[in-house]
Amino acid sequence: MCGIVGYIGQQDASPIIIDGLRRLEYRGYDSAGICTLNGGEAQIRRAEGKLINLEKILREQPAEGCRGIGHTRWATHGRPSEINAHPHKASNIVVVHNGIIENYLKLKERLQKLGHNFSSETDTEIIAHLVEEHYRQCGDFEKAVRLALAEVKGAYAVAILCHDEPDKLIAAKLGSPLVVGQGQGEYFVASDIPAMLSHTREMIFLEDGEIAVFTPDKMWITDLVGQPLVKQSKTITWSPMLAEKGGYKHFMLKEIYEQPRALADTIAGRLQGEEGDIYLEALGLSDAQLADLDKIFIIACGTSWHAGLVGKFYIEKLARIPVEIDIASEFRYRDPIVTEKSLTVLISQSGETADTLAGLREAKGKGGKVVCICNVVDSSIARESDGVIYTHAGPEIGVASTKAFTTQLVALYLLALKLGRSRGNLTADDCREQVESLLALPRKVEETLELDAQIEQIAREYMNARDFLYLGRGNQYPIALEGALKLKEISYIHAEGYPAGEMKHGPIALIDESLPVVVLVPRNATYDKVVSNMEEVCARGGIVIAVASGEESELQGKVAALIKVPETTEDLMPILTSIPMQLLAYHIAVLKGTDVDQPRNLAKSVTVE
Ligand code: AGP
């Protein structure tokens, strides 16, 4: 899990690469490095830690030249250090890599016997030596890369330079994302679109097993044996501004505030009010196929898995199909009973999460149909699925997922309505009624955001707590899990999400006057039960922060803090109650002074298993 950038053209490569890496730092920031070619001479600069450290080095020792590659790292093989920072070099070959080489120890042994000396603990350095070994024998950079990659097992997106052939940049991919940007007399390559968006909008998405060779004025793409391939470019319409902070202190806050727009965009064009039906443009399954399903699997990780937990409620209620939900890293190892009548729904913001991708392949391999709910257009998961429902949240840069989560909930709701209609469980009138509530949702999210100042005040009061407990029931239980995850990942406070009714079976022992307990208690079918669970906390001196709905509340005066979100339907309420979860975690993290957008040990897109 790293970000790579490459450039070949007429401009100074270094600032272009650094700008690209800055937009890829969400992929990891354990170290950063760059190599430029000035004539035939490779100029490598590397630094441990964030990009800012590399920029400092570059100010003292600039790297010159119009060809270059760069890297921002999330450590897998070898600890974060300068020595393990990319680019890695073997004689005339310089490589940056995102992915994991699984057979690296075997290859390393063989190369060592041939006299190669290694200076890092990384698997990536093997690629540099392997290409160099082949280059020494065949004297052809392109051929040497092909021969080397044919021997490599695992996942890679690589960009490679050779200072004996300085007018060529080679990039290749297998299992890790890689996009090519086409400019005028210049080419870019990067792990993700925003890294190149300020230079070009014409992009080519490389597929697994493809190699792109660039010179300043032309490029060609082949497969691993050298067969030429014809690829179409796509015009990307995102504005670069969309990926910037837009005046907010952090991307996370900006993304929290973007939710009304993100939700409206995800709903737009998908409601056919008059017909009482849902239009999902790329679902890839006919009504008859949807009607024929007998089981649904939902597979995802982290926050996306929490969305899936809510999705199970939606689908079982509206379409009456049994739903099994799995954490992706567990799914493929339990030999799930997938048949051709099952539909597997993958949920992923990035579309690159390795565990989710592996789950997709497992389900597909067993003959099931596969669709995904995904935010990143043409990402690996989107490309490999039979159908896709895009969440139109726009780029999510903050590591803590916010707008992706709420748009995933809307996408799941649309899918459940679609299934319900196709299978005859919902009438056109039923569907129209839900559509009304969906259309009102963005405005209600705006109203919920007005609670920000109150929540900041609550954050001030409880920021020094050592632990937090989050309780919810039914479709609010996943929101309790999500609230706890948000707090853990950005404020580093230990937090647990628990089904409110299960508290008396153990966690109740934790409750004392120092434990803030966030209780999700909107008006719904289990309201009275949750109020009783809350009373149990109060009776033991616990500090209750209640998240309730509607104008009046009998909870006033009983609890330490009362956050009141607007009313909506029981189904859509998780979208509203998740907003205070995001804001509470955000303000506590800011008050504690943590790195909100790039919390320690985390990365935005987890492309290793
Ligand atoms: C969310 O705040 C997390 N950073 C993380 O749990 C994330 O949701 C998970 O890694 C899955 O990512 P994906 O949606 O891109 O697949």
Side-chain angles (χ1 to χ4, degrees), residues 1 252 299-306 347-357 373-376 381 396 398-402 404-405 408 482 485-486 489-490 599 602-606:
M1 152 123 42
M252 182 181 175
I299 302 171
C301 302
T303 288
S304 298
W305 179 68
H306 297 156
I347 309 174
S348 176
Q349 186 285 129
S350 61
E352 301 297 345
T353 302
D355 289 321
T356 311
L357 191 55
I373 292 175
C374 190
N375 194 39
V376 178
I381 290 174
E396 192 181 65
V399 164
S401 190
T402 52
F405 176 66
Q408 284 166 351
E482 176 60 5
L485 176 63
K486 287 284 90 82
E489 67 181 334
I490 60 169
L602 285 171
K604 184 65 184 163
S605 157
V606 185

Side-chain angles (χ1 to χ4, degrees), residues 420-439:
R421 283 292 284 135
S422 312
R423 297 167 68 84
N425 294 88
L426 296 178
T427 64
D429 279 345
D430 295 333
C431 199
R432 257 183 236 120
E433 208 179 297
Q434 307 309 325
V435 162
E436 290 296 308
S437 333
L438 265 177
L439 288 171

